[in-house]
């Protein structure tokens, strides 16, 4: 008789936390047994997230209530730094915030405007297609990547590792508004404010820049945009390369054993991956300018957050990486 993995979700009423609970309902080897919320403790999860069919009751978080095999932290930056050093003594932790993504604490302080206060505690960066899976499997603390870095790095790294990049990659990225989180109260995030509009933000010094550069090993020019759609993320990479021959073959070979990466011929739409843990990538080459133009699409809440976190947990638990995760999208 196989043992069921017990899971705690801290911050279960946010978009990523609720998506974790939803995805785990289809996982054959794991069950969510504890859910917490700072604002809604005492209520049922289904009251705060009516799309989730669950009888779980939300609790107030305290490290002492956690006894599960895996704990997913779905809180704002700073929370994991405070609690992960204690939690990893009793549970394996997967952090969906940025607290343990950057190796350099000075970079963390620069981009997140707070000192790194968990000296001596390090996380393993968990982008399975691009890092050492053995390190992920052995991790006590896993730093789940951001959605923009996931879409960007999956598109960029085949060029980097082939030694083809000759200039600064220009990253033009667009995310649905759920990427800003569920707790945003600013009027600019209201759909009535967003609908019919389109804009860039944080055009210099965006927080995900050092995360992308850390793995890529090259400086990048990164510009994010907010689009008036609930979920989904598209990245267009413009990269000067020494050779544009056989780019499709390069990408197909690079990702040939990766079930969640799909190299496609036609330009992909975010709509085709919504609800899935898949990344679709279309590589092309512009002979006129010498640029490789790579487009990627993911669901920012699945491959960009909760799905990738479960993908990492599967590796950490010794399960098949695809267990319980959707590869096909929702349509229409």
């Amino acid at each position: 008789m196989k043992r069921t993995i017990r899971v705690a979700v801290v911050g279960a009423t946010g978009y990523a936390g609720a998506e974790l609970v939803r995805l785990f309902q289809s996982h054959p080897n794991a069950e969510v047994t504890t859910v917490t919320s700072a604002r809604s403790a005492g209520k049922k999860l289904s009251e705060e997230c009516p799309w989730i069919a669950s009888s779980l009751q939300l609790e107030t978080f305290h490290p002492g209530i956690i006894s599960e095999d895996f704990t997913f932290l779905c809180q704002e930056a700073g929370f994991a730094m405070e609690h992960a050093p204690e939690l990893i003594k009793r549970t394996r932790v997967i952090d969906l915030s940025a607290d343990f993504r950057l190796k350099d604490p000075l970079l963390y302080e620069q981009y997140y405007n707070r000192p790194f206060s968990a000296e001596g505690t390090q996380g393993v960066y968990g982008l399975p297609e691009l890092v050492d899976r053995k390190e992920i499997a052995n991790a006590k603390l896993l730093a789940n990547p951001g959605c923009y870095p996931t879409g960007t790095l999956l598109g960029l790294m085949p060029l980097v590792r082939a030694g083809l990049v000759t200039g600064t990659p220009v990253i033009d990225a667009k995310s649905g508004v759920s990427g800003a989180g569920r707790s945003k109260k600013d009027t600019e995030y209201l759909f009535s404010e967003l609908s019919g509009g389109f804009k860039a933000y944080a055009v210099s010094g965006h927080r995900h820049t050092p995360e992308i550069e850390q793995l890529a090993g090259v400086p990048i020019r990164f510009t994010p945009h907010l689009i008036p759609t609930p979920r989904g993320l598209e990245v267009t990479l413009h990269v000067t390369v020494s050779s544009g021959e056989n780019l499709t073959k390069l990408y197909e070979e690079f990702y040939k054993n990766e079930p969640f990466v799909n190299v496609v011929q036609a330009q992909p739409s975010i709509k085709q991956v919504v609800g899935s843990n898949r990344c679709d990538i279309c590589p092309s080459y512009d002979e006129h300018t010498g640029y490789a133009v790579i487009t990627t699409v993911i669901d920012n809440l699945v491959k960009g957050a909760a799905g990738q976190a479960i993908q990492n947990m599967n590796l950490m638990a010794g399960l098949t990486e695809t267990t319980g995760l959707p590869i096909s999208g929702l349509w229409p």
Side-chain angles (χ1 to χ4, degrees):
M1 182 177 178
K2 63 184 179 182
R3 186 178 70 88
T4 298
I5 298 167
R6 298 171 64 248
V7 170
V9 178
V10 177
T13 60
Y15 288 136
E19 191 73 349
L20 275 167
V21 177
R22 185 184 75 85
L23 292 171
F24 269 124
Q25 290 178 330
S26 299
H27 199 293
N29 304 103
E31 179 185 6
V32 177
T33 52
T34 295
V35 288
T36 78
S37 171
R39 293 187 301 272
S40 303
K43 295 183 178 180
K44 287 190 174 182
L45 175 62
S46 59
E47 290 182 61
E48 292 298 297
C49 303
W51 63 96
I52 302 291
S54 171
S55 60
L56 288 167
Q57 182 165 309
L58 295 161
E59 301 180 48
T60 299
F61 170 78
H62 184 278
I65 73 170
I66 302 296
S67 62
E68 279 75 9
D69 303 297
F70 285 88
T71 300
F72 293 77
L73 302 181
C74 308
Q75 299 282 31
E76 298 287 340
F79 183 91
M81 274 193 300
E82 180 180 353
H83 296 291
E86 176 65 24
L87 285 171
I88 59 175
K89 297 175 183 178
R90 62 167 64 92
T91 180
R92 300 179 80 179
V93 173
I94 297 176
D95 177 31
L96 278 74
S97 81
D99 281 1
F100 294 96
R101 292 174 189 163
L102 299 179
K103 295 178 181 177
D104 185 345
L106 295 180
L107 275 178
Y108 182 89
E109 183 172 355
Q110 176 185 344
Y111 281 88
Y112 289 88
N113 299 315
R114 57 165 53 86
F116 183 78
S117 60
E119 292 83 359
T121 304
Q122 292 186 329
V124 173
Y125 192 69
L127 215 174
E129 292 82 4
L130 299 176
V131 303
D132 187 345
R133 281 179 165 89
K134 291 181 180 178
E135 289 190 19
I136 293 175
N138 293 325
K140 285 286 290 179
L141 172 60
L142 192 288
N144 209 57
C147 53
Y148 279 130
T150 295
T152 299
L153 288 165
L154 288 172
L156 178 60
M157 291 308 291
L159 298 176
V160 169
R161 291 185 177 170
L164 296 177
V165 177
T166 60
T168 300
V170 176
I171 315 301
D172 180 12
K174 305 168 187 71
S175 175
V177 71
S178 60
R182 195 180 184 201
S183 62
K184 292 290 186 183
K185 302 298 183 184
D186 301 340
T187 57
E188 64 180 316
Y189 295 103
L190 294 175
F191 206 80
S192 58
E193 302 282 335
L194 287 165
S195 183
F198 173 62
K199 69 175 182 178
Y201 66 97
V203 297
S204 179
H206 189 276
R207 289 176 169 185
H208 284 315
T209 300
E211 183 181 341
I212 297 167
E213 292 179 342
Q214 179 176 264
L215 187 60
V218 297
I220 62 163
R221 173 54 262 168
F222 177 71
T223 306
H225 302 74
L226 201 61
I227 56 176
T229 190
R231 60 201 289 169
L233 184 147
E234 191 271 356
V235 179
T236 303
L237 302 98
H238 307 269
V239 188
T240 53
V241 291
S242 56
S243 173
E245 293 183 12
N246 300 317
L247 279 188
T248 298
K249 183 178 180 180
L250 170 69
Y251 276 75
E252 289 176 341
E253 182 66 22
F254 192 93
Y255 289 118
K256 64 181 180 181
N257 296 318
E258 300 297 345
F260 291 121
V261 180
N262 187 30
V263 180
V264 299
Q265 300 294 320
Q267 292 297 319
S269 165
I270 59 175
K271 191 174 176 68
Q272 68 200 49
V273 295
V274 165
S276 80
N277 197 54
R278 198 176 78 239
C279 175
D280 283 3
I281 302 179
C282 181
S284 60
Y285 179 66
D286 178 15
E287 293 185 5
H288 178 63
T289 59
Y291 276 86
V293 182
I294 315 298
T295 53
T296 73
V297 290
I298 62 171
D299 185 325
N300 59 297
L301 294 179
V302 188
K303 182 57 174 168
Q308 185 148 257
I310 294 174
Q311 185 181 351
N312 282 313
M313 186 210 75
N314 287 339
L315 287 168
M316 295 164 74
L319 301 173
T320 302
E321 197 167 325
T322 55
T323 303
L325 289 170
I327 294 180
S328 297
L330 301 172
W331 199 271

